Amino acid sequence: MDEPKMERRSLHASVRDVSTIDADKGQYRITVFANEVVRGSGVRLQFDGIKTTNYMRNPVVAWAHDTTGRTEAQGIPIGRTLALDVGKGKIKADFEFLSEDPF
């Protein structure tokens, strides 16, 4: 018997409101999500009250969000999150790129 195919939905995450914290250190602030709608589903995601403690214990920013090496990016880390601000329907992140990384 054939396995049923699982429907895959992706989240449309637009990065906006990019500002520089310290360009020499490669540090920036961005709005990662702003109560986005899951593409093709009409489901609206609400982020107020989300807990980020576990993520901040290992705040790796991976190229194309690939943390397991399933894409051509092979799970390459490109930086780390310095702080997250969750509230008012948005997730804002302060992050820094890896220094002296040729990628």
Side-chain angles (χ1 to χ4, degrees), residues 8 11 14 27 29 38 41-42 49-50 53 64 67-68 74 92 102:
R8 294 189 66 145
L11 195 70
S14 54
Q27 297 178 346
R29 177 172 294 136
V38 177
S41 74
I50 193 170
T53 305
T67 58
T68 60
Q74 297 295 311
K92 292 187 176 194

Side-chain angles (χ1 to χ4, degrees), residues 52-96:
T52 60
T53 305
N54 285 341
Y55 172 75
M56 290 305 293
R57 287 182 183 144
N58 186 27
V60 173
V61 176
W63 174 254
H65 304 285
D66 178 9
T67 58
T68 60
R70 287 187 253 170
T71 68
E72 291 179 28
Q74 297 295 311
I76 296 172
I78 60 167
R80 69 181 174 134
T81 304
L82 303 171
L84 289 173
D85 178 19
V86 180
K88 299 180 184 171
K90 296 181 180 181
I91 297 177
K92 292 187 176 194
D94 292 355
F95 73 97
E96 67 182 359

Side-chain angles (χ1 to χ4, degrees), residues 27-42:
Q27 297 178 346
Y28 300 89
R29 177 172 294 136
I30 60 170
T31 299
V32 182
F33 290 108
N35 283 348
E36 302 288 339
V37 175
V38 177
R39 186 175 21 205
S41 74

Side-chain angles (χ1 to χ4, degrees), residues 15 40 48 51 73 87 97 103:
V15 175
D48 297 335
K51 296 189 183 330
F97 286 110
F103 180 70

Side-chain angles (χ1 to χ4, degrees), residues 20-28:
T20 302
I21 296 172
D22 186 333
D24 292 334
K25 292 181 180 177
Q27 297 178 346
Y28 300 89

